């Protein structure tokens, strides 16, 4: 009798475990995945700028152009980085841009009070950043100083960077510093975390300040509209979004930010590499909250802006752990494992699926800080698992989103459950479709059936990112341990694709 019961239970389990299904409906495709969802963030923090992007013009050991590392540029070009946010973060509301222009030996130094109170010599400033963006082929996104700056300081920064040729004090200053033509700077943030390090403001106060600063930011660039991004809510502070949408005229507002980090517990963040499966599960619970956050913030925005003129910019997201042992606690240097690949794949699927409202996102941060895509140590450089996910997913940039309906098995931990699989899909301008599937289950492979509606294809190929331990990472001694390889564990016939995905893996299929 007991054996019979076990047999029934195990059959039931097998059936339940065979339920993964993704239905992709090409006929319902409507929205484009804005390439800026694949944006990055570079703050004057630890070794993101200094030692990461920039090693100085006089560095003879590391190949560079005007001090910017060429290996970094080459690696980031493969990600097709669309937009780069700078100079902060918390640093932005302490930054006075005039201190970072002109001859380097005349630039004053300052203390970087948010990040270790170390000396900031201002050798990397506006000209260096904007020239670097041109080298990279990325759009700059400048975070203005609202917390300790003035409206005229920000208004002059817009003029210095974008005022056309001709004579004006800011144009003349730019020319004096060696740059005749304006740069193309479309994206401007009005402060950062105004509810916290950006000035500890209340939402109502910030909305007023925003209106004031926005008034004096003129659009000098004839080619594009000045895109103003309000400092947004932390996580589920829905009141913040409500007030901004209510109090700021929509014609002055192009996007509202959201910041959300996948952190286990702010007082005990845990090791980036030596973590348990329970800690992994909690990290993924936090990461998957992004679905609820963007849905709820978007629902508030829908009330005031049903035409979806104003975008959500998730301009800081990613995993946050304790720093690597022996490194400066203020520098936020952490390793990056397959857990981070799971955060990246899952989060990007959420953004793709919400691309009607989420039209920008910036992973925190590009190099050597938090969930970095690149780690550097002197002349050595490592591409992290997160880098590889961003590279695999770059096919979705500017493609038409194909709506997916996902039924998934559960990934269980005690009484808690998460959906094991997530997916997103798109069709690019050449008619090639891509499907990204993530299995976050730390133990079980998943059998998945993909059903395609109104979508034709002749051939399917795939790539997979996985490893044999969720704690695995790429180190300076073993930099290629984790990287995408060809994936063939699928069968395609008619309008169905059947696949098996190993535990904690990211797969991208290409349908031609
Ligand atoms: O990304 C690190 C910090 O996190 C940023 O400076 C700040 O905006 C956020 O709190």
């Amino acid at each position: 009798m007991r054996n019979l019961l076990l047999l029934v239970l195990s059959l039931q389990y097998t059936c339940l475990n065979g339920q993964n299904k993704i239905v992709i409906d090409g006929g319902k495709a409507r929205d484009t995945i804005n390439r800026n969802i694949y944006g990055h963030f570079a703050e004057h923090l630890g070794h993101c700028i200094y030692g990461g992007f920039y090693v100085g013009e006089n560095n003879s050991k590391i190949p560079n152009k005007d001090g910017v590392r060429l290996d970094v540029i080459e690696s980031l070009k493969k990600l097709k980085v669309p937009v780069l946010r700078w100079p902060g973060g918390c640093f932005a509301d302490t930054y006075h841009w005039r201190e970072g222009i002109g001859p380097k030996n005349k630039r004053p130094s300052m203390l970087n009070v948010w990040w270790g109170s170390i000396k900031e010599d201002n050798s990397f400033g506006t000209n260096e950043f904007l020239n670097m963006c041109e080298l990279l082929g990325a759009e700059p996104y400048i975070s203005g100083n609202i917390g300790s700056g003035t409206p005229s300081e920000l208004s002059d920064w817009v003029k210095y960077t974008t005022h056309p040729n001709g004579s004006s004090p800011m144009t003349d200053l730019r020319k004096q510093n060696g740059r005749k033509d304006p740069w193309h700077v479309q994206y401007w943030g009005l402060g950062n975390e105004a509810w916290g390090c950006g000035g500890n403001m209340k939402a109502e106060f910030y909305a007023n300040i925003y209106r004031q600063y926005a008034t004096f930011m003129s659009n000098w660039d004839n080619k594009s509209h000045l895109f103003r991004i309000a400092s947004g809510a932390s996580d589920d502070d829905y009141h913040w979004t409500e007030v901004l949408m209510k109090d700021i005229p929509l014609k002055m507002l192009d996007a509202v930010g959201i910041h959300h980090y996948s952190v286990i517990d702010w007082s005990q963040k845990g090791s980036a590499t030596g973590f348990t499966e329970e800690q992994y599960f909690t990290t993924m619970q936090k990461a998957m909250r992004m679905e609820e956050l963007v849905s709820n913030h978007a629902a508030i925005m829908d009330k005031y802006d049903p035409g979806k003129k104003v975008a959500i910019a998730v301009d800081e997201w990613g995993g946050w752990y304790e720093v690597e042992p022996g490194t400066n606690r203020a520098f936020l240097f952490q390793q990056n494992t397959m857990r981070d690949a799971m955060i990246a794949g899952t989060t990007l699927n959420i953004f793709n699926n919400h691309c009607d409202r989420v039209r920008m996102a910036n992973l925190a941060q590009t190099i050597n800080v938090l969930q970095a895509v690149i780690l550097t140590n002197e002349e050595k450089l490592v591409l992290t698992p997160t880098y590889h996910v961003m590279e695999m997913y770059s096919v979705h940039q500017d493609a038409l989103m194909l709506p997916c309906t996902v039924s998934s098995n559960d990934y269980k931990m005690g009484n808690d459950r998460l959906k094991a699989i997530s997916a997103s899909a798109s069709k690019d301008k050449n008619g090639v479709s891509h499907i990204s599937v993530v299995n976050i289950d730390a133990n079980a492979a998943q059998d998945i059936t993909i059903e395609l509606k109104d979508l034709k294809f002749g051939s399917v190929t795939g790539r997979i990112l996985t490893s044999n331990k969720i704690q695995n990472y790429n180190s300076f001694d073993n930099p290629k341990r984790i990287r995408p390889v060809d994936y063939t564990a699928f069968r395609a016939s008619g309008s169905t694709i059947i696949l098996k995905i190993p535990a904690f893996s990211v797969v991208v299929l290409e349908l031609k």
Side-chain angles (χ1 to χ4, degrees):
M1 183 63 191
R2 191 169 166 270
N3 283 349
L4 186 66
L5 191 66
L6 280 177
L7 182 67
V8 170
L9 282 177
S10 94
L11 278 176
Q12 205 175 20
Y13 179 75
T14 312
C15 289
L16 283 176
N17 236 19
Q19 280 179 350
N20 294 313
K21 187 164 188 184
I22 303 170
V23 179
I24 301 176
D25 196 340
K28 294 210 173 114
R30 192 192 57 197
D31 300 308
T32 297
I33 298 174
N34 194 308
R35 76 176 88 146
N36 288 339
I37 284 177
Y38 291 83
H40 288 264
F41 169 37
E43 180 165 11
H44 286 237
L45 192 177
H47 293 298
C48 185
I49 297 292
Y50 300 108
F53 279 103
Y54 181 76
V55 286
E57 292 79 351
N58 301 324
N59 192 312
S60 54
K61 264 192 2 207
I62 303 174
N64 66 83
K65 164 122 179 47
D66 301 331
V68 172
R69 289 181 77 127
L70 289 174
D71 52 358
V72 160
I73 295 296
E74 191 198 330
S75 307
L76 292 180
K77 274 190 168 174
K78 291 187 189 142
L79 294 189
K80 300 192 263 168
V81 172
V83 62
L84 186 60
R85 178 174 185 248
W86 173 86
C90 293
F91 181 79
D93 284 291
T94 62
Y95 184 64
H96 299 284
W97 67 271
R98 278 194 176 81
E99 296 178 354
I101 58 167
K104 297 208 176 181
N105 59 3
K106 298 229 171 72
R107 297 185 190 176
S109 293
M110 66 181 284
L111 277 190
N112 189 334
V113 288
W114 286 111
W115 306 115
S117 285
I118 54 155
K119 184 172 137 186
E120 160 66 59
D121 69 3
N122 278 308
S123 54
F124 188 91
T126 301
N127 290 51
E128 288 76 20
F129 172 66
L130 295 177
N131 291 342
M132 184 176 89
C133 285
E134 286 184 343
L135 192 62
L136 194 56
E139 297 261 350
Y141 165 8
I142 293 184
S143 279
N145 179 347
I146 300 290
S148 68
T150 63
S152 84
E153 185 183 6
L154 183 54
S155 150
D156 280 351
W157 206 1
V158 177
K159 285 186 205 133
Y160 179 81
T161 54
T162 64
H163 196 278
N165 282 317
S167 196
S168 78
M170 287 303 115
T171 316
D172 294 346
L173 184 60
R174 188 180 69 227
K175 285 182 189 157
Q176 201 179 305
N177 290 330
R179 174 79 185 200
K180 183 168 153 284
D181 294 324
W183 293 274
H184 175 67
V185 191
Q186 189 180 2
Y187 301 108
W188 291 87
L190 281 77
N192 169 75
E193 299 194 350
W195 39 265
C197 65
N200 282 306
M201 301 176 201
K202 290 191 167 173
E204 292 76 6
F205 182 79
Y206 172 70
N208 277 341
I209 293 270
Y210 178 100
R211 294 164 63 126
Q212 182 193 10
Y213 274 73
T215 304
F216 299 101
M217 296 172 73
S218 307
N219 194 16
W220 302 106
D221 183 346
N222 291 329
K223 282 180 263 164
S224 60
H225 161 78
L226 194 80
F227 191 97
R228 287 166 295 194
I229 303 165
S231 164
S234 171
D235 303 302
D236 57 0
D237 183 355
Y238 299 120
H239 173 73
W240 188 272
T241 300
E242 182 96 43
V243 172
L244 300 198
M245 292 303 293
K246 183 158 55 73
D247 287 5
I248 301 173
L250 293 190
K251 66 174 189 312
M252 296 180 107
L253 184 63
D254 299 288
V256 171
I258 300 176
H259 288 183
H260 172 62
Y261 285 100
S262 304
V263 59
I264 293 174
D265 175 344
W266 285 106
S267 60
Q268 272 186 306
K269 296 189 276 293
S271 160
T273 52
F275 54 89
T276 61
E277 191 186 336
E278 283 80 1
Q279 287 175 310
Y280 165 64
F281 190 91
T282 308
T283 305
M284 292 315 298
Q285 280 178 318
K286 303 290 172 133
M288 290 167 90
R289 258 202 99 198
M290 189 66 88
E291 172 69 36
E292 164 199 331
L293 295 175
V294 295
S295 303
N296 292 350
H297 284 286
I300 293 168
M301 294 171 78
D302 284 346
K303 286 197 286 174
Y304 300 91
D305 174 31
K308 300 190 197 293
K309 173 199 171 273
V310 180
I312 288 179
V314 186
D315 46 12
E316 288 185 28
W317 67 274
W320 192 324
Y321 320 108
E322 302 298 347
V323 298
E324 285 305 297
T327 65
N328 188 328
R329 280 167 60 90
F331 285 8
L332 310 184
F333 176 76
Q334 63 190 39
Q335 248 300 351
N336 194 293
T337 65
M338 282 304 296
R339 167 169 66 174
D340 296 279
M342 296 299 102
I343 298 176
T346 307
T347 306
L348 292 169
N349 281 341
I350 294 170
F351 293 158
N352 285 346
N353 291 328
H354 284 274
C355 67
D356 60 333
R357 189 64 92 168
V358 179
R359 300 200 285 269
M360 190 192 283
N362 306 79
L363 176 63
Q365 300 192 7
T366 324
I367 311 177
N368 296 329
V369 171
L370 300 177
Q371 192 175 338
V373 289
I374 293 176
L375 303 176
T376 63
N377 181 4
E378 298 293 338
E379 58 270 49
K380 291 188 180 169
L381 174 145
V382 160
L383 305 177
T384 65
T386 301
Y387 173 95
H388 293 302
V389 175
M390 294 293 276
E391 185 273 318
M392 290 165 78
Y393 274 56
S394 64
V395 291
H396 292 301
Q397 293 189 23
D398 290 337
L400 183 68
M401 191 267 280
L402 304 170
C404 294
T405 311
V406 179
S407 326
S408 168
N409 289 332
D410 288 332
Y411 167 36
K412 295 182 200 143
M413 178 64 63
N415 292 327
D416 291 331
R417 288 150 192 261
L418 289 171
K419 298 285 172 217
I421 61 164
S422 72
S424 65
S426 69
K427 189 188 223 175
D428 69 19
K429 60 177 186 324
N430 300 317
V432 180
S433 300
H434 294 96
I435 308 172
S436 323
V437 188
V438 182
N439 172 19
I440 62 161
D441 195 310
N443 308 300
Q446 304 291 333
D447 294 304
I448 305 171
T449 303
I450 302 180
E451 197 184 306
L452 303 164
K453 292 187 180 165
D454 284 328
L455 211 59
K456 299 263 174 297
F457 65 93
S459 63
V460 186
T461 52
R463 291 167 83 206
I464 185 168
L465 189 78
T466 192
S467 194
N468 57 359
K469 267 176 73 187
I470 191 112
Q471 291 85 358
N472 283 352
Y473 57 88
N474 290 335
S475 65
F476 292 108
D477 295 329
N478 191 0
K480 298 209 167 137
R481 182 185 205 175
I482 300 167
R483 57 185 165 152
V485 294
D486 287 347
Y487 169 74
T488 51
F490 60 85
R491 266 182 301 120
S493 87
S495 58
T496 304
I497 305 172
I498 293 175
L499 55 154
K500 190 178 202 75
I501 306 195
F504 53 90
S505 307
V506 177
V507 164
V508 176
L509 296 177
E510 181 166 280
L511 279 60
K512 281 190 173 156

